[in-house]
Amino acid sequence: MSREESSKKKRKEGPEKAGNPQGGHEEIFTGTKPEVIARAILENLYHVQGRVPALATDNDWYMALAYTVRDRLLNRWVKSMGMFSKDVKGIRVVSYLSAEFLMGPHLGNSLISLGLYDEVRQAVNQLGLDFEHLLSQEEEPGLGNGGLGRLAACFMDSLATLRIPAIGYGIRYEFGIFDQAIRDGWQVETTDKWLRFGNPWEIPRAEIVYNVGFGGHSEAYEDDRGHYRVRWVPNRVVKGMAYDTPVPGYRVDMVNMLRLWKSEAVESFDFQAFNVGDYYGAVEKKVASETLSKVLYPNDEPEIGKRLRLAQQYFFVSCSLQDMIRIHRLKELPPDRFHETFAVQLNDTHPSIAVAELMRLLVDEHFLGWEEAWEITRKTLAYTNHTLLPEALEKWPLPLFRDMLPRHLEIIYEINRRFLEEVGRKYPGDGGKAARLSIIDETQGKYVRMAHLASVGSHAINGVAALHTELLKKTVLKDFYELYPESFHNVTNGVTPRRWIVLSNPRLAELITRKIGDRWIRRAEDLKKLEPFADNPEFQGEWQRIKWENKQRLAGLIKERTNISADPRTLFDIQVKRLHEYKRQHLSVLYVVTLYNRLKKNPKADVPPRTVIFAGKAAPGYFLAKLIIKLITSVAEVVNSDPEIGDRLKVVFFPDFNVKNALPIYPAADLSEQISTAGKEASGTGNMKFSMNGALTIGTLDGANVEIREEVGAENFFLFGLTAGEVMDLKSKGYSPWQCCLANPELREAVDQIRSGFFSGGDKNLFRPLIDSLTSRDEYMLFADYPSYVDCQERVNRAYRDQKTWTKMSILNVARMGKFSSDRSIREYGEKIWAVKAVR
Ligand code: NBG
């Protein structure tokens, strides 16, 4: 019996036995008393998992628990869905289109939102089970690469918490981001089989399906009223089916939804082929259709020509827009009022084909005129840019595009023709301008520039931190800014304090609440009220004890996963994020090597002992990023096994960084490394998570670091390095990394050591590609920033020795992080971009 059938059966059995959603005797589906919850878990174990306690596995218990919690979400969810009925008009729903949603484990988070954490823990204890152990059973849905996908998850949390109706639309990848193991010091990737034991958090909607076409050609025809029309005749059709996951707000009735699309064959078998005996041909087609939502692309690899990726993008965008139009029509509103029902946010360019698809749906399928459709499209869509790195700006080769989406290419040509006419009127005779703005890039071969398509088709364009938005206006989207200055906004990123403090750092959350009440959980600005306690010795003592416990917990995990003993008495210096040259994990390694050399030369040197911890995945095809991991683990091996060094310096690479592993990491940090080359990190969000958990930041003036420093105060932030402007100046004047290296004996020593094979058992070739890249080009200017970074680390060391002052700085960091709650970001989107309001 399926889960849904068993629930139906229970309901048929009447309110006494099954619990009445309106509040019957047993309240099996809704009750919140520990005894009732315990009984509900047993019911679910029996009726859903088909198990009795004596034979239940950990996963059976986890599933039973998850269903019990889901039941408690459902009645709020069902009520919230009332929003989509025809009786509710005048409410604009946010539709967040994103190729990635990195939601993290659902169970703990749902319990926090529902306010049932303690009750459920008691219920689980009553059953004689270990609550933490059950929580750890959950396989996290790793449907994202890093910051961009996690931002989408934080935004979903805030939207629901702020009672803004929203749907997150994306892809239900069967394989999310790969799992990372470390073997011989190298990253090894394995597939992420997150669905293998079932996913209790989603509800498959077999009746919500859409057809999505590919290829073929378009045909012009005349309709009955003599109008010129075009229809697209695709040569392949794939079906998208909806899977819904509830997204609860924190302690509110609102439950929003994440709707992810799975691709399927239109017919399970191509019967015609089957009948003529081509059994394998029929199955092949089915398999090909299902490949579309198979796997998430790891980013940081060359984009060009990844056919399947464009197909994925179009697939989920088309399903989502068709679904929105269906919902809009449920309200019995005409298509020309579509923008009143939905505000659609394009999370980076991945969904930007929405511009052409919405036009196609409105013009070809709902028969609106071009101008009218265009107005609606622009009023509906808004675009967020998340990177300035040229290699991450999507563009598709024209032949590939035409082959896959011929009708969309025609539409894009028409959009572009009209757009360039407008440009021509504004800048007559300026061919260079037109070429730079054009949606079609013709500088070297022909490409469709997705950022241009998104910018032309949106009424609002935003960057994700103040510096990033300024650079966007000056560089990548300069010409667009000159053309449409009023369309540009900045909305600095934020993270949800529910997951990133309450869930991940419960003791700190409890201490804060004890001092200032619990309103900070939804109004993070309230954290300011902690400031008066910053100097209070008793409060400082509690603060330190919590940090100590968090460090102990992480040390335990490090021991378990890497067999390295990390001493919680040492300074925990942590850098966790994707591996990328611009993020400069290897700059931190250069400091580690320098510190090691100093300690070897002067064993009595008075520096606080440090444990330097790294975690993060490298794109499977990004050779240098993987080599940086190997460098970290190689340096770790030498340093950690040097008896003269002991606990004074330890290096750890913590494998498989994901949301689950991140939870115990941020709260355990003393020092947060945010050391990207200025101008390269759009915002960063890990920087916020660390700081909110009382770590001090060592960082450059990049991304949101700039604003974090402004908020916490320069005296509570360790700043080093070139500014974005200085980076550009130095580049244009001619930068010689080798000169920098010669000028600094300690840098030279570190570089020579790595080159000589000191950390690679004498192998001189292993790290050569990395060293060559640094000494010849040093694209990300590690050598230029090295002296200032090392000096800054010295300031960190001095500061750490004075634990009173350090603790005060730590408290002030947390107290002043209110701005970086994603609730603030969402309020800004709501006001500046979406024109949406909270509903009751
Ligand atoms: C990333 C940036 C981060 C930023 C997140 C969320 C992409 C393309 N960009 O700096 O690198 O914090 O987006 O905005 O993943």
Side-chain angles (χ1 to χ4, degrees), residues 386 483 569 835:
H386 293 266
L483 194 60
R569 282 169 302 191

Side-chain angles (χ1 to χ4, degrees), residues 625-794:
K626 292 174 117 174
L627 193 55
I628 293 172
I629 294 181
K630 178 64 177 168
L631 177 65
I632 294 168
T633 55
S634 303
V635 169
E637 223 169 277
V638 171
V639 170
N640 297 350
S641 62
D642 189 328
E644 275 176 30
I645 297 294
D647 276 339
R648 306 185 68 192
L649 180 59
K650 281 270 162 69
V651 181
V652 174
F653 190 91
F654 192 103
D656 205 29
F657 186 60
N658 55 18
V659 177
K660 202 171 174 176
N661 287 327
L663 288 168
I665 292 182
Y666 295 112
D670 294 305
L671 186 66
S672 152
E673 299 269 351
Q674 306 301 333
I675 61 179
S676 52
T677 318
K680 301 291 179 197
E681 188 71 87
S683 163
T685 43
N687 46 4
M688 302 167 187
K689 293 165 199 165
F690 276 117
S691 197
M692 274 187 188
N693 281 280
L696 305 188
T697 304
I698 180 166
T700 49
L701 282 180
D702 199 16
N705 294 354
V706 177
E707 292 156 79
I708 292 176
R709 178 167 172 271
E710 257 165 40
E711 291 292 306
V712 304
E715 67 286 6
N716 299 309
F717 186 105
F718 297 101
L719 178 70
F720 77 96
L722 299 172
T723 63
E726 288 164 350
V727 165
M728 284 190 258
D729 284 350
L730 186 53
K731 275 239 163 95
S732 65
K733 278 194 213 123
Y735 163 55
S736 163
W738 187 236
Q739 290 305 318
C740 291
C741 196
L742 289 179
N744 190 305
E746 286 191 297
L747 174 58
R748 174 132 198 215
E749 184 185 14
V751 168
D752 283 343
Q753 253 169 334
I754 296 170
R755 197 200 325 250
S756 72
F758 183 84
F759 296 105
S760 40
D763 184 345
K764 293 189 169 61
N765 288 321
L766 182 59
F767 297 119
R768 175 173 294 162
L770 198 56
I771 296 298
D772 283 353
S773 150
L774 288 174
T775 51
S776 62
R777 242 161 67 83
D778 191 14
E779 172 75 20
Y780 299 103
M781 302 201 158
L782 280 76
F783 289 4
D785 276 345
Y786 169 92
S788 122
Y789 180 58
V790 172
D791 285 350
C792 194
Q793 290 285 17
E794 287 309 294

